[in-house]
Amino acid sequence: MRACSVGRPGISYRAGSKMPWISAFASGSVISEESKYAMYADGELSDTGSLPAELGREVSMSGKKKRGKVVSYNKWGYIFLIPFVLVYVIFQLIPLVTTIYNSFFENYRQGLMQVGPNFVGFDNYKAILTNGDMWVYAQNTFIMWILGFIPQIIVSLLLGAWFSDTRLRLKGTRFFKTVIYLPNLIMASAFSMLFFTLFSDGGPINSILMQIGILDSPYSFLSHAGSARGLVAFMNFIMWFGNTTILLMAGMMGIDTALFEAAEVDGATSTQVFFRITLPLLKPILIYVMITSLIGGLQMFDVPQILTNGTGDPMRSSMTLIMYLNKHLFSKNYGLAGALSVFLFIITAILSMLVYRFSNRKEA
Amino acid sequence: MANNNGQQLKKGMNIHVRRTLAYIVLAIISFLCLCWFYILVINATRSHADLQRGFTPIPSSFLAKNMNGVLHGTLPVFYGLMNSLIVSSLSAVLCTYFSAMTAYAIHAYHFKMKRFMFTFILMIMMIPTQVTALGFVQLIDKMHLRDSLIPLIVPAIAAPITFFYMKQYMESALPLAIVESARIDGAGEFKTFNTIVIPMMKPAIAVQAIFTFVSSWNNYFTPALILNSDKRKTLPILIAQLRSADFLKFDMGQVYVMVAFSILPVVVIYLLLSKFIVQGVAMGSVKG
């Protein structure tokens, strides 16, 4: 039973007791997505869901005669929360508030002169909306995200279906899973630097392509908008499809095996099974994967920043929103940086809401 | 009967074809994932002049020389390695310990704010660090912590994603009866947490420590905003510096060694512990 993956039978036991399929499908070393979704149910679970908690409380009631004792234990809940709350408020909440605050002030540097901070209301927002740069960069970000996401989701679905297909019985799935997840962990900036050297005019890729005879002269990948964006998208694809595969596979193993068996009895081909059963039942997880990937895509920075040396060239066609933000932060243009941050915050918040809504609907 | 057999045979063939196809695709994809590392390692062993002549798949013997060149070159690579190591390991330790503590507070105690706190942490989980970077930089300036490693380490204490993972793990693997029996034996709450809860959480802590270490090791955005002196820079900043410097002046063999320095430690850790990591992904899937 590899399902007791994290080394403790508890996890697989709980997942198993809730959803019998996971123990049946124990070949996959992944813990159910289901249990994660369950957690989203507005914190309900912590009180009602877990048996041990219930048990514990009972013991505590019978074990302790004095009521005051119980209360004095529970104050430790607050004490243990102090580090988190303190650090969160100082290093994340205050910065968030001051970022929003900054967005209402004119505050930038012109040469050596510091302008502001002067209160200007929504002028920064107006400036950033009418300037047009943000739209171009948003478009770039979206194009590079979608170029990476489409192959990613196709490959991940295919691999997920193969890995979780019991009839196929692929050997060495553990090896393949290890390999496809590897690129996700490497330093994006170093990977990007590696690609820059490999795809440079005198780099190995050009030299290989010329040796084979595909090219006569080196192709400068980074001076064409298409190939520069393509490289960024390709790197994102390589780095993230392993992660997506593992998520989708967890979802696929959550599908009731009886459905597959019934389809097999009815003589359905594996293609039919995939499109008629797997895909429709996988929809909630697909949506989850897509939205979280979009949130990640919005934060695209390291790869294009290093690849293009922060310029987003050629013709700023691979400049992303966060690169734009980074530029404003470095030039101490805090007013516009604030407004841009608020926009990004709002978009992320909306996308996150969608994730929660879909997760909750699945729960219900 | 014959018909049935035929169908069986056809299906069998079908499976074989599909299996072969699957192996071919998997082989191509594995190649796509791994070839970069192969080229990187090969090129790191070759000399600059050798590299200019074009690509060969056979390693050469300049690795030691290139490494020596990188460590004694213009870039503070040794400091970079040390700083990256310090930031990532301390972040991993603080993040896992305090996330476990936060999760334990929500898991084991019943208090008024409990449900609110849980919902709140779930809500802030998705806020990207880049969005608050402006306020963060200003705050660091006000605290006079610019060019210090502290602002890269301490914020790891408040990590909603790690908290969430720990909480979920506790749901399944930490029966409160054990905590209760420790109380009966007279252990204080803090001692119970340190001597009973933390050891029981080891598997979850290991997985999350790796994830935190890796993401801290790879982090480029925040350190680039905060660190500016050579002695403080972490590896990703040095990579960026390498990229923005006049490229032709660099010894290409050394560039590859430098990239290898940044990538390979994580690859080694991963290969040693991949079993746990791949399993941990689905649970901590809110990442990225």
Tab-separated table of all heavy atoms in Angstrom, chain A residues 50-91:
chain	number	residue	atom	x	y	z
A	50	SER	N	-13.582	15.585	11.969
A	50	SER	CA	-12.598	14.590	12.352
A	50	SER	C	-12.981	13.887	13.641
A	50	SER	O	-13.319	14.505	14.640
A	50	SER	CB	-11.230	15.244	12.495
A	50	SER	OG	-11.180	15.937	13.702
A	51	LEU	N	-12.880	12.626	13.562
A	51	LEU	CA	-13.226	11.799	14.696
A	51	LEU	C	-12.294	12.032	15.878
A	51	LEU	O	-12.744	12.194	17.002
A	51	LEU	CB	-13.212	10.329	14.257
A	51	LEU	CG	-13.769	9.356	15.289
A	51	LEU	CD1	-15.251	9.619	15.497
A	51	LEU	CD2	-13.538	7.932	14.851
A	52	PRO	N	-10.972	12.065	15.619
A	52	PRO	CA	-10.049	12.234	16.747
A	52	PRO	C	-10.357	13.487	17.565
A	52	PRO	O	-10.300	13.455	18.790
A	52	PRO	CB	-8.682	12.360	16.062
A	52	PRO	CG	-8.846	11.684	14.762
A	52	PRO	CD	-10.263	11.901	14.374
A	53	ALA	N	-10.726	14.572	16.879
A	53	ALA	CA	-11.012	15.808	17.600
A	53	ALA	C	-12.174	15.592	18.566
A	53	ALA	O	-12.134	16.000	19.724
A	53	ALA	CB	-11.345	16.914	16.626
A	54	GLU	N	-13.183	14.916	18.055
A	54	GLU	CA	-14.368	14.647	18.855
A	54	GLU	C	-13.984	13.828	20.083
A	54	GLU	O	-14.348	14.119	21.214
A	54	GLU	CB	-15.347	13.849	17.995
A	54	GLU	CG	-16.791	14.203	18.224
A	54	GLU	CD	-17.095	15.575	17.675
A	54	GLU	OE1	-16.981	15.784	16.467
A	54	GLU	OE2	-17.449	16.447	18.503
A	55	LEU	N	-13.185	12.806	19.785
A	55	LEU	CA	-12.749	11.895	20.822
A	55	LEU	C	-11.982	12.650	21.890
A	55	LEU	O	-12.205	12.486	23.079
A	55	LEU	CB	-11.832	10.843	20.176
A	55	LEU	CG	-11.808	9.484	20.853
A	55	LEU	CD1	-13.057	8.732	20.476
A	55	LEU	CD2	-10.567	8.733	20.425
A	56	GLY	N	-11.076	13.500	21.384
A	56	GLY	CA	-10.230	14.256	22.284
A	56	GLY	C	-11.046	15.111	23.226
A	56	GLY	O	-10.787	15.180	24.420
A	57	ARG	N	-12.066	15.744	22.676
A	57	ARG	CA	-12.857	16.633	23.506
A	57	ARG	C	-13.586	15.840	24.584
A	57	ARG	O	-13.663	16.237	25.723
A	57	ARG	CB	-13.856	17.389	22.634
A	57	ARG	CG	-14.142	18.758	23.195
A	57	ARG	CD	-15.151	19.493	22.346
A	57	ARG	NE	-14.818	19.415	20.947
A	57	ARG	CZ	-15.729	19.585	19.992
A	57	ARG	NH1	-16.987	19.809	20.292
A	57	ARG	NH2	-15.380	19.518	18.736
A	58	GLU	N	-14.081	14.680	24.161
A	58	GLU	CA	-14.795	13.853	25.110
A	58	GLU	C	-13.892	13.484	26.275
A	58	GLU	O	-14.254	13.605	27.422
A	58	GLU	CB	-15.267	12.577	24.415
A	58	GLU	CG	-16.725	12.281	24.671
A	58	GLU	CD	-17.198	11.234	23.705
A	58	GLU	OE1	-16.964	10.055	24.011
A	58	GLU	OE2	-17.772	11.578	22.663
A	59	VAL	N	-12.685	13.053	25.899
A	59	VAL	CA	-11.735	12.671	26.930
A	59	VAL	C	-11.471	13.857	27.844
A	59	VAL	O	-11.420	13.729	29.050
A	59	VAL	CB	-10.419	12.179	26.284
A	59	VAL	CG1	-9.364	11.960	27.351
A	59	VAL	CG2	-10.671	10.882	25.531
A	60	SER	N	-11.343	15.016	27.218
A	60	SER	CA	-11.004	16.172	28.029
A	60	SER	C	-12.138	16.514	28.990
A	60	SER	O	-11.904	16.970	30.089
A	60	SER	CB	-10.689	17.367	27.123
A	60	SER	OG	-11.822	18.171	26.984
A	61	MET	N	-13.367	16.260	28.552
A	61	MET	CA	-14.493	16.537	29.431
A	61	MET	C	-14.494	15.585	30.620
A	61	MET	O	-14.679	15.972	31.762
A	61	MET	CB	-15.810	16.365	28.664
A	61	MET	CG	-16.100	17.512	27.719
A	61	MET	SD	-15.939	19.103	28.501
A	61	MET	CE	-17.370	19.910	27.843
A	62	SER	N	-14.279	14.317	30.323
A	62	SER	CA	-14.347	13.344	31.404
A	62	SER	C	-13.071	13.360	32.243
A	62	SER	O	-13.094	13.096	33.425
A	62	SER	CB	-14.592	11.949	30.824
A	62	SER	OG	-13.536	11.631	29.942
A	63	GLY	N	-11.970	13.649	31.582
A	63	GLY	CA	-10.694	13.613	32.271
A	63	GLY	C	-10.529	14.747	33.270
A	63	GLY	O	-9.926	14.586	34.316
A	64	LYS	N	-11.064	15.882	32.909
A	64	LYS	CA	-10.889	17.048	33.795
A	64	LYS	C	-12.206	17.328	34.517
A	64	LYS	O	-13.242	17.468	33.893
A	64	LYS	CB	-10.494	18.269	32.971
A	64	LYS	CG	-9.184	18.069	32.248
A	64	LYS	CD	-8.012	18.421	33.112
A	64	LYS	CE	-6.739	17.807	32.597
A	64	LYS	NZ	-6.515	16.413	32.943
A	65	LYS	N	-12.108	17.414	35.807
A	65	LYS	CA	-13.338	17.648	36.551
A	65	LYS	C	-13.666	19.128	36.603
A	65	LYS	O	-14.791	19.552	36.462
A	65	LYS	CB	-13.203	17.085	37.967
A	65	LYS	CG	-13.488	15.600	38.011
A	65	LYS	CD	-12.730	14.938	39.152
A	65	LYS	CE	-12.403	13.499	38.829
A	65	LYS	NZ	-11.152	13.056	39.406
A	66	LYS	N	-12.590	19.917	36.771
A	66	LYS	CA	-12.844	21.354	36.918
A	66	LYS	C	-12.999	22.004	35.556
A	66	LYS	O	-12.205	21.769	34.655
A	66	LYS	CB	-11.690	22.002	37.681
A	66	LYS	CG	-11.806	21.782	39.167
A	66	LYS	CD	-10.651	22.437	39.889
A	66	LYS	CE	-9.717	21.394	40.455
A	66	LYS	NZ	-8.422	21.873	40.828
A	67	ARG	N	-14.024	22.798	35.418
A	67	ARG	CA	-14.278	23.435	34.133
A	67	ARG	C	-13.219	24.475	33.798
A	67	ARG	O	-12.829	24.645	32.661
A	67	ARG	CB	-15.651	24.082	34.148
A	67	ARG	CG	-16.562	23.264	33.247
A	67	ARG	CD	-17.682	24.043	32.788
A	67	ARG	NE	-17.887	23.733	31.397
A	67	ARG	CZ	-18.903	24.176	30.738
A	67	ARG	NH1	-19.767	24.953	31.331
A	67	ARG	NH2	-19.065	23.888	29.481
A	68	GLY	N	-12.809	25.166	34.844
A	68	GLY	CA	-11.832	26.236	34.641
A	68	GLY	C	-10.573	25.740	33.965
A	68	GLY	O	-9.960	26.437	33.181
A	69	LYS	N	-10.220	24.519	34.248
A	69	LYS	CA	-9.020	23.918	33.667
A	69	LYS	C	-9.112	23.871	32.138
A	69	LYS	O	-8.170	24.193	31.442
A	69	LYS	CB	-8.879	22.503	34.214
A	69	LYS	CG	-7.444	22.015	34.241
A	69	LYS	CD	-6.747	22.460	35.502
A	69	LYS	CE	-5.252	22.365	35.363
A	69	LYS	NZ	-4.627	21.233	35.983
A	70	VAL	N	-10.275	23.496	31.639
A	70	VAL	CA	-10.472	23.383	30.196
A	70	VAL	C	-10.276	24.738	29.536
A	70	VAL	O	-9.575	24.869	28.545
A	70	VAL	CB	-11.882	22.828	29.889
A	70	VAL	CG1	-12.109	22.778	28.396
A	70	VAL	CG2	-12.053	21.455	30.512
A	71	VAL	N	-10.881	25.735	30.132
A	71	VAL	CA	-10.771	27.082	29.582
A	71	VAL	C	-9.314	27.515	29.552
A	71	VAL	O	-8.829	28.066	28.586
A	71	VAL	CB	-11.616	28.075	30.405
A	71	VAL	CG1	-11.381	29.501	29.919
A	71	VAL	CG2	-13.090	27.708	30.290
A	72	SER	N	-8.595	27.196	30.611
A	72	SER	CA	-7.214	27.648	30.667
A	72	SER	C	-6.358	26.949	29.614
A	72	SER	O	-5.364	27.486	29.167
A	72	SER	CB	-6.633	27.433	32.062
A	72	SER	OG	-6.173	26.107	32.186
A	73	TYR	N	-6.750	25.737	29.198
A	73	TYR	CA	-6.046	25.111	28.081
A	73	TYR	C	-6.286	25.892	26.802
A	73	TYR	O	-5.384	26.123	26.030
A	73	TYR	CB	-6.540	23.675	27.869
A	73	TYR	CG	-5.940	22.685	28.822
A	73	TYR	CD1	-6.703	21.659	29.357
A	73	TYR	CD2	-4.589	22.776	29.161
A	73	TYR	CE1	-6.148	20.745	30.227
A	73	TYR	CE2	-4.031	21.861	30.035
A	73	TYR	CZ	-4.815	20.857	30.569
A	73	TYR	OH	-4.261	19.956	31.419
A	74	ASN	N	-7.527	26.274	26.601
A	74	ASN	CA	-7.876	26.870	25.321
A	74	ASN	C	-7.257	28.231	25.093
A	74	ASN	O	-7.134	28.664	23.963
A	74	ASN	CB	-9.393	26.927	25.169
A	74	ASN	CG	-9.944	25.530	24.941
A	74	ASN	OD1	-9.205	24.650	24.501
A	74	ASN	ND2	-11.196	25.330	25.252
A	75	LYS	N	-6.852	28.866	26.169
A	75	LYS	CA	-6.146	30.137	25.959
A	75	LYS	C	-4.824	29.899	25.216
A	75	LYS	O	-4.308	30.776	24.549
A	75	LYS	CB	-5.919	30.841	27.296
A	75	LYS	CG	-4.489	30.784	27.784
A	75	LYS	CD	-4.303	31.259	29.164
A	75	LYS	CE	-3.014	30.631	29.687
A	75	LYS	NZ	-2.879	30.480	31.067
A	76	TRP	N	-4.304	28.654	25.308
A	76	TRP	CA	-3.079	28.323	24.577
A	76	TRP	C	-3.283	28.397	23.071
A	76	TRP	O	-2.325	28.562	22.312
A	76	TRP	CB	-2.569	26.941	24.983
A	76	TRP	CG	-1.818	27.001	26.272
A	76	TRP	CD1	-2.344	26.846	27.517
A	76	TRP	CD2	-0.436	27.283	26.437
A	76	TRP	NE1	-1.367	27.014	28.453
A	76	TRP	CE2	-0.178	27.278	27.823
A	76	TRP	CE3	0.613	27.539	25.555
A	76	TRP	CZ2	1.086	27.531	28.331
A	76	TRP	CZ3	1.873	27.783	26.064
A	76	TRP	CH2	2.098	27.777	27.440
A	77	GLY	N	-4.514	28.233	22.653
A	77	GLY	CA	-4.809	28.415	21.230
A	77	GLY	C	-4.370	29.793	20.776
A	77	GLY	O	-3.707	29.934	19.750
A	78	TYR	N	-4.719	30.794	21.577
A	78	TYR	CA	-4.316	32.160	21.238
A	78	TYR	C	-2.806	32.315	21.316
A	78	TYR	O	-2.184	32.953	20.465
A	78	TYR	CB	-4.971	33.169	22.185
A	78	TYR	CG	-6.462	33.304	21.989
A	78	TYR	CD1	-7.359	32.772	22.915
A	78	TYR	CD2	-6.967	33.972	20.886
A	78	TYR	CE1	-8.720	32.893	22.736
A	78	TYR	CE2	-8.334	34.099	20.693
A	78	TYR	CZ	-9.197	33.553	21.628
A	78	TYR	OH	-10.540	33.674	21.435
A	79	ILE	N	-2.213	31.726	22.357
A	79	ILE	CA	-0.762	31.892	22.541
A	79	ILE	C	0.002	31.304	21.357
A	79	ILE	O	0.913	31.924	20.823
A	79	ILE	CB	-0.316	31.234	23.864
A	79	ILE	CG1	-0.944	31.970	25.045
A	79	ILE	CG2	1.210	31.223	23.978
A	79	ILE	CD1	-0.745	31.316	26.386
A	80	PHE	N	-0.429	30.113	20.911
A	80	PHE	CA	0.272	29.482	19.793
A	80	PHE	C	0.051	30.233	18.481
A	80	PHE	O	0.794	30.043	17.524
A	80	PHE	CB	-0.176	28.018	19.642
A	80	PHE	CG	0.477	27.100	20.633
A	80	PHE	CD1	-0.138	25.923	21.031
A	80	PHE	CD2	1.719	27.411	21.161
A	80	PHE	CE1	0.468	25.072	21.938
A	80	PHE	CE2	2.340	26.563	22.070
A	80	PHE	CZ	1.712	25.398	22.463
A	81	LEU	N	-0.989	31.041	18.435
A	81	LEU	CA	-1.228	31.805	17.202
A	81	LEU	C	-0.399	33.082	17.131
A	81	LEU	O	-0.275	33.683	16.074
A	81	LEU	CB	-2.715	32.166	17.098
A	81	LEU	CG	-3.639	31.108	16.512
A	81	LEU	CD1	-5.074	31.606	16.535
A	81	LEU	CD2	-3.242	30.766	15.091
A	82	ILE	N	0.160	33.489	18.274
A	82	ILE	CA	0.858	34.779	18.313
A	82	ILE	C	1.957	34.922	17.247
A	82	ILE	O	1.951	35.900	16.508
A	82	ILE	CB	1.422	35.059	19.732
A	82	ILE	CG1	0.253	35.324	20.686
A	82	ILE	CG2	2.356	36.267	19.730
A	82	ILE	CD1	0.664	35.429	22.140
A	83	PRO	N	2.894	33.951	17.123
A	83	PRO	CA	3.961	34.149	16.132
A	83	PRO	C	3.419	34.388	14.728
A	83	PRO	O	3.831	35.321	14.050
A	83	PRO	CB	4.754	32.839	16.181
A	83	PRO	CG	4.397	32.206	17.453
A	83	PRO	CD	3.043	32.679	17.834
A	84	PHE	N	2.458	33.551	14.333
A	84	PHE	CA	1.913	33.690	12.984
A	84	PHE	C	1.295	35.070	12.799
A	84	PHE	O	1.600	35.787	11.856
A	84	PHE	CB	0.861	32.604	12.721
A	84	PHE	CG	0.271	32.663	11.338
A	84	PHE	CD1	0.795	31.890	10.316
A	84	PHE	CD2	-0.807	33.497	11.051
A	84	PHE	CE1	0.271	31.953	9.042
A	84	PHE	CE2	-1.337	33.568	9.773
A	84	PHE	CZ	-0.792	32.784	8.770
A	85	VAL	N	0.410	35.428	13.728
A	85	VAL	CA	-0.324	36.680	13.575
A	85	VAL	C	0.636	37.866	13.580
A	85	VAL	O	0.549	38.764	12.735
A	85	VAL	CB	-1.385	36.823	14.690
A	85	VAL	CG1	-2.021	38.199	14.663
A	85	VAL	CG2	-2.442	35.745	14.546
A	86	LEU	N	1.588	37.838	14.502
A	86	LEU	CA	2.549	38.940	14.615
A	86	LEU	C	3.327	39.111	13.309
A	86	LEU	O	3.372	40.206	12.731
A	86	LEU	CB	3.518	38.625	15.760
A	86	LEU	CG	4.111	39.807	16.499
A	86	LEU	CD1	3.008	40.596	17.181
A	86	LEU	CD2	5.128	39.320	17.529
A	87	VAL	N	3.913	38.018	12.833
A	87	VAL	CA	4.722	38.096	11.609
A	87	VAL	C	3.845	38.444	10.418
A	87	VAL	O	4.224	39.239	9.564
A	87	VAL	CB	5.475	36.770	11.379
A	87	VAL	CG1	6.148	36.758	10.024
A	87	VAL	CG2	6.503	36.565	12.469
A	88	TYR	N	2.643	37.866	10.388
A	88	TYR	CA	1.768	38.166	9.256
A	88	TYR	C	1.426	39.652	9.217
A	88	TYR	O	1.505	40.294	8.171
A	88	TYR	CB	0.488	37.324	9.303
A	88	TYR	CG	-0.401	37.657	8.137
A	88	TYR	CD1	-0.084	37.180	6.873
A	88	TYR	CD2	-1.492	38.506	8.280
A	88	TYR	CE1	-0.837	37.524	5.781
A	88	TYR	CE2	-2.247	38.849	7.183
A	88	TYR	CZ	-1.921	38.359	5.938
A	88	TYR	OH	-2.652	38.720	4.846
A	89	VAL	N	1.038	40.187	10.370
A	89	VAL	CA	0.639	41.596	10.407
A	89	VAL	C	1.811	42.495	10.017
A	89	VAL	O	1.671	43.394	9.195
A	89	VAL	CB	0.097	41.966	11.805
A	89	VAL	CG1	-0.049	43.470	11.944
A	89	VAL	CG2	-1.246	41.287	12.039
A	90	ILE	N	2.993	42.215	10.582
A	90	ILE	CA	4.130	43.099	10.301
A	90	ILE	C	4.593	42.982	8.857
A	90	ILE	O	4.752	43.976	8.163
A	90	ILE	CB	5.302	42.786	11.253
A	90	ILE	CG1	4.921	43.152	12.687
A	90	ILE	CG2	6.550	43.577	10.841
A	90	ILE	CD1	5.945	42.749	13.717
A	91	PHE	N	4.797	41.763	8.385
A	91	PHE	CA	5.465	41.612	7.098
A	91	PHE	C	4.528	41.447	5.911
A	91	PHE	O	4.983	41.445	4.777
A	91	PHE	CB	6.450	40.446	7.148
A	91	PHE	CG	7.676	40.749	7.948
A	91	PHE	CD1	7.858	40.201	9.199
A	91	PHE	CD2	8.643	41.617	7.448
A	91	PHE	CE1	8.990	40.493	9.937
A	91	PHE	CE2	9.774	41.909	8.176
A	91	PHE	CZ	9.947	41.356	9.435
